Amino acid sequence: WYQGIKMAMFDVSDFSNPKEMFKIEIGDRGTDSPILTDHKSLLFDKNKNLLVIPVLEAQLNDEQKKANKEGNTYGDYVYQGAYVFNIDLDKGFDLRGRVTHFDDENAFKKSGYYFGTQDFSVKRSLYIENNLYTISDGKILINSLDTLDKINEVDFNLPKLEERPRDIFF
């Protein structure tokens, strides 16, 4: 059973004997990312030492971890957004912060086993000059690359889920 998302940096100077230098693990079983099926959702810039990945994070509570002997227990959803890392060959992954499009943390508590609130799930990111743009179906959020403080947003004003016609899919 996969148990979250793992990222690793390898020293491949000896191509026949690669060595893991650094790793970071995010979440527990149920954690997912568009990167697993779409390489375009990854933002990487070597010159800026920048790595941004969208993540839907699930976590097991302490009781679930104790009972999870077979590793098949799914965690509860706790976060969806972009993880923003500095990367360095001497220091590894350094989490600078996270950017989410969700205003209400309760959206995760109410989602239950299936995370159905996709409108504000970050799917892509890009930067222009010193601004980080994260993109979901519901909005584009602009944050400072230095501090990750919100600068502005473009809200697409999607109708609330319960107000949408049933025969139209977004």
Side-chain angles (χ1 to χ4, degrees), residues 53-125:
I53 63 167
V55 174
L56 171 60
E57 184 178 354
Q59 289 183 353
L60 297 171
N61 61 37
D62 290 338
E63 188 175 301
Q64 289 171 317
K65 286 180 183 179
K66 289 177 187 173
N68 192 26
K69 295 186 187 333
E70 293 184 29
N72 60 353
T73 302
Y74 281 84
D76 295 322
Y77 295 116
V78 296
Y79 181 79
Q80 199 295 326
Y83 273 67
V84 182
F85 295 94
N86 283 333
I87 55 168
D88 186 282
L89 291 177
D90 296 321
K91 298 176 186 174
F93 299 99
D94 178 31
L95 180 62
R96 294 175 49 191
R98 305 183 308 177
V99 175
T100 186
H101 288 199
F102 288 93
D103 295 330
D104 183 10
E105 290 182 22
N106 290 324
F108 300 101
K109 294 176 184 165
K110 295 175 186 173
S111 67
Y113 186 72
Y114 295 101
F115 184 72
T117 314
Q118 302 296 319
D119 292 342
F120 296 103
S121 292
V122 175
K123 296 179 179 179
R124 295 276 196 283
S125 57

Side-chain angles (χ1 to χ4, degrees), residues 20-166:
E20 185 177 82
M21 297 168 44
F22 304 102
K23 71 176 180 178
I24 188 165
E25 297 174 2
I26 301 171
D28 294 311
R29 184 159 176 75
T31 298
D32 200 4
S33 175
I35 290 175
L36 300 174
T37 56
D38 182 3
H39 69 279
K40 293 179 182 178
S41 62
L42 172 75
L43 171 59
F44 171 72
D45 187 300
K46 181 180 176 182
N47 294 330
K48 288 190 174 286
N49 294 325
L50 177 67
L51 176 70
V52 181
I53 63 167
V55 174
L56 171 60
E57 184 178 354
Q59 289 183 353
L60 297 171
N61 61 37
D62 290 338
E63 188 175 301
Q64 289 171 317
K65 286 180 183 179
K66 289 177 187 173
N68 192 26
K69 295 186 187 333
E70 293 184 29
N72 60 353
T73 302
Y74 281 84
D76 295 322
Y77 295 116
V78 296
Y79 181 79
Q80 199 295 326
Y83 273 67
V84 182
F85 295 94
N86 283 333
I87 55 168
D88 186 282
L89 291 177
D90 296 321
K91 298 176 186 174
F93 299 99
D94 178 31
L95 180 62
R96 294 175 49 191
R98 305 183 308 177
V99 175
T100 186
H101 288 199
F102 288 93
D103 295 330
D104 183 10
E105 290 182 22
N106 290 324
F108 300 101
K109 294 176 184 165
K110 295 175 186 173
S111 67
Y113 186 72
Y114 295 101
F115 184 72
T117 314
Q118 302 296 319
D119 292 342
F120 296 103
S121 292
V122 175
K123 296 179 179 179
R124 295 276 196 283
S125 57
L126 61 104
Y127 72 87
I128 299 173
E129 294 179 358
N130 203 33
N131 297 322
L132 175 66
Y133 294 76
T134 51
I135 303 164
S136 67
D137 291 341
K139 69 172 84 174
I140 297 173
L141 199 58
I142 306 162
N143 296 73
S144 164
L145 261 179
D146 291 331
T147 64
L148 295 183
D149 290 338
K150 180 179 170 181
I151 296 171
N152 208 344
E153 72 178 59
V154 178
D155 191 333
F156 300 143
N157 293 317
L158 295 176
K160 293 181 181 175
L161 195 59
E162 60 271 9
E163 296 173 358
R164 294 181 192 167
R166 295 201 182 271

Side-chain angles (χ1 to χ4, degrees), residues 7-18:
M7 296 187 304
M9 278 191 241
F10 289 86
D11 177 352
V12 291
S13 56
D14 179 0
F15 194 71
S16 62
N17 188 25

